[in-house]
Amino acid sequence: MQPKIAEGRTKMEYGRIEREFRIDASPDVVYKVISSPAHIREWWHAEALLEPVSGAVGELVWGDKAKAEAEVASITVVDAEQPRLFSFRWVYPLGEVATPANSLLVTFELVPSGTGTVVRLTEVGFREMGWEAAVLEEQYKEHSVGWDTHFASLRDYLGQLVAAQ
């Protein structure tokens, strides 16, 4: 089952990205996979240097940081409510504190569904960043494509974990 795609199609709607899928895994298992640095490495293909607790500040690193060939994103955990909710702010300037005016908010909501879990992802805050229209559209599209890739990777990785049990 492919993730459902619900996204804006006009400039006025570049404010929210949503994805959803159902997996035959418990909310506890899903929560560990979306919040644990060891698992994040497997599905998001980034080193997650963070503690999965509310208020923790860390980094996501794609590439080799030691060789200065890395993309680094600051990340601040907002909510860490196992096993139902994990959210964080990111895409804010290095060295600054994340706020609703300078960062995007990603929320994973985990809803029990029979013997499995519905995983809902939302990313908001695009319009609040104050970007000019062309930058807003570009950032929204980049994140939308990125979540298409990484959310599918999350679903596949969870599926492999469940099959191995």
Side-chain angles (χ1 to χ4, degrees):
M1 182 170 142
Q2 294 296 319
K4 292 180 187 174
I5 298 174
E7 60 185 75
R9 297 292 182 211
T10 66
K11 284 184 184 178
M12 292 179 57
E13 295 180 13
Y14 292 139
R16 179 181 201 87
I17 294 172
E18 298 178 337
R19 302 289 185 270
E20 179 178 301
F21 67 82
R22 186 191 177 285
I23 188 81
D24 285 325
S26 73
D28 282 316
V29 168
V30 176
Y31 185 88
K32 287 174 188 161
V33 168
I34 62 172
S35 65
S36 162
H39 289 294
I40 290 170
R41 181 181 315 116
E42 298 302 318
W43 65 267
W44 208 353
H45 311 293
E47 291 298 320
L49 309 170
L50 76 126
E51 292 292 321
V53 296
S54 297
V57 177
E59 295 178 332
L60 295 171
V61 180
W62 292 270
D64 191 344
K65 192 174 180 182
K67 295 181 180 178
E69 298 173 358
E71 180 181 343
V72 179
S74 297
I75 181 172
T76 300
V77 178
V78 176
D79 293 301
E81 300 174 17
Q82 187 172 357
R84 62 174 207 83
L85 185 70
F86 185 73
S87 66
F88 59 86
R89 290 197 167 278
W90 73 323
V91 189
Y92 57 93
L94 290 174
E96 290 190 19
V97 173
T99 69
N102 74 352
S103 64
L104 301 176
L105 177 66
V106 175
T107 302
F108 287 91
E109 181 184 6
L110 310 177
V111 181
S113 174
T115 59
T117 304
V118 172
V119 182
R120 291 188 184 125
L121 169 123
T122 59
E123 184 174 27
V124 297
F126 293 92
R127 289 187 296 250
E128 292 77 6
M129 295 290 279
W131 290 318
E132 63 180 55
V135 173
L136 170 63
E137 183 175 349
E138 176 187 348
Q139 287 294 314
Y140 182 89
K141 286 181 180 178
E142 283 182 17
H143 284 247
S144 185
V145 168
W147 284 121
D148 285 344
T149 300
H150 297 298
F151 205 58
S153 180
L154 170 61
R155 181 199 64 227
D156 294 346
Y157 179 66
L158 278 163
Q160 291 169 3
L161 289 177
V162 170
Q165 291 179 354

